[in-house]
Amino acid sequence: MVTPDSEFSSEQAHQITLAVREALARRRISRQTLAETAKISLSTLEKALSGRRPFTLATVIRLEEALGTSLRHADHAVASATVQGGGTAPEHLGSYTKAAVSWLTGNYLTLRPSFGEAGAVFAYRTEIIWNDSASRLIFREAERLDTGFNQQGEVSVPNQSGHVYLVTSISGQYRVAVVGRPMNTGEMYGILTSLRAGRGTQLTPVSAAIALVPILPGREGDLAFGRIGPSHRHYQAYRDHLDRVTAEEFALFKAGP
């Protein structure tokens, strides 16, 4: 569906975002360089890629000219490859149908330990939706302090493991969250494996507990996003969710032999 202030559907915008991210990675250029080449502001580019501002046709055309590639048809190959599946996700994602995973769609308060402040909780929003053109669940993040690191990707739901995988893959670089099937109240708990940005260009592999808590309609205003420290009124509730990951063995962390 195309929103009133956008010329592209949410699925098209998602595919454009993925295509731009991949082009940046392949060419090893910064967003600042792309913005300057496309003659758009860095703020416009950042907001579009994070989902905080819709893509306009003019912006997409400038990005296509700067990158020398088509972005508006970025999802054609995916769509043509899956149209024969009749609404079934590809085998590598679990061969699930739209109806079979409808219970997963929605918005989630996402919690993990802060990588930048000891003891704090990092909170943001994750939306899981069905992508009709690609016949699969996709997820996208928002409300992050570090908006440039908002993740988007695919959702794998294999029957064999009984877990849900949120996978970001950009030019061979992966970030994976593995969570258990939802509790009766909808929460999902598990482990996140990613790369932590360090000094300069240094990236360090890191794993941490993660919790996805359903956001009830009309309740988003009652939540807090960002870096939540011990003095914040939501801290203990958020911390309790993360503590469940190890206390109830939704995930195990092992060090050494």
Side-chain angles (χ1 to χ4, degrees):
M1 181 180 68
V2 178
T3 57
D5 55 350
S6 174
E7 296 164 270
F8 301 97
S9 69
S10 59
E11 291 81 8
Q12 288 172 320
H14 172 69
Q15 294 299 332
I16 290 171
T17 297
L18 291 181
V20 172
R21 288 176 181 270
E22 181 174 351
L24 288 171
R26 287 183 182 277
R27 291 164 171 76
R28 297 184 179 181
I29 61 175
S30 68
R31 296 185 180 192
Q32 179 69 57
T33 299
L34 175 59
E36 292 173 354
T37 305
K39 294 182 173 57
I40 62 176
S41 71
L42 178 60
S43 174
T44 295
L45 179 61
E46 294 281 9
K47 289 179 179 178
L49 292 179
S50 66
R52 292 181 294 140
R53 173 181 294 177
F55 281 101
T56 65
L57 180 58
T59 296
V60 172
I61 289 175
R62 291 191 177 197
L63 289 172
E64 287 178 334
E65 292 175 345
L67 293 169
T69 187
S70 174
L71 300 174
R72 284 167 287 177
H73 305 290
D75 59 339
H76 284 187
V78 175
S80 61
T82 58
V83 68
Q84 298 300 323
T88 300
E91 184 178 0
H92 75 274
L93 294 178
S95 301
Y96 53 80
T97 63
K98 181 178 182 179
V101 293
S102 60
W103 44 272
L104 263 177
T105 60
N107 283 285
Y108 295 85
L109 167 67
T110 306
L111 308 170
R112 66 160 171 79
S114 170
F115 296 156
E117 181 180 333
V121 176
F122 196 72
Y124 52 95
R125 178 168 59 85
T126 299
E127 181 185 21
I128 298 177
I129 62 173
W130 177 265
N131 185 312
D132 284 314
S133 64
S135 292
R136 67 195 66 189
L137 288 173
I138 61 173
F139 75 93
R140 51 197 179 199
E141 299 174 353
E143 311 293 347
R144 287 182 58 146
L145 282 176
D146 50 351
T147 57
F149 291 92
N150 280 339
Q151 302 288 318
Q152 301 186 64
E154 301 174 319
V155 181
S156 175
V157 191
N159 287 323
Q160 292 89 339
S161 73
H163 284 74
V164 177
Y165 301 75
L166 280 66
V167 184
T168 300
S169 173
I170 301 176
S171 299
Q173 180 173 295
Y174 286 82
R175 191 200 76 157
V176 182
V178 183
V179 295
R181 298 294 178 98
M183 310 288 288
N184 291 336
T185 47
E187 298 92 347
M188 294 186 287
Y189 299 98
I191 188 171
L192 170 71
T193 298
S194 183
L195 294 174
R196 175 186 176 183
R199 296 179 179 178
T201 59
Q202 181 182 359
L203 296 173
T204 304
V206 60
S207 291
I210 190 170
L212 276 71
V213 183
I215 299 176
L216 300 177
R219 296 298 302 274
E220 187 164 331
D222 299 334
L223 303 174
F225 300 102
R227 188 173 289 108
I228 309 299
S231 62
H232 195 284
R233 64 188 180 92
H234 286 303
Y235 176 78
Q236 193 56 54
Y238 288 6
R239 184 76 254 172
D240 288 346
H241 279 296
L242 288 181
D243 288 344
R244 290 190 69 179
V245 173
T246 51
E248 299 181 33
E249 294 193 355
F250 289 101
L252 299 176
F253 297 86
K254 299 293 186 180

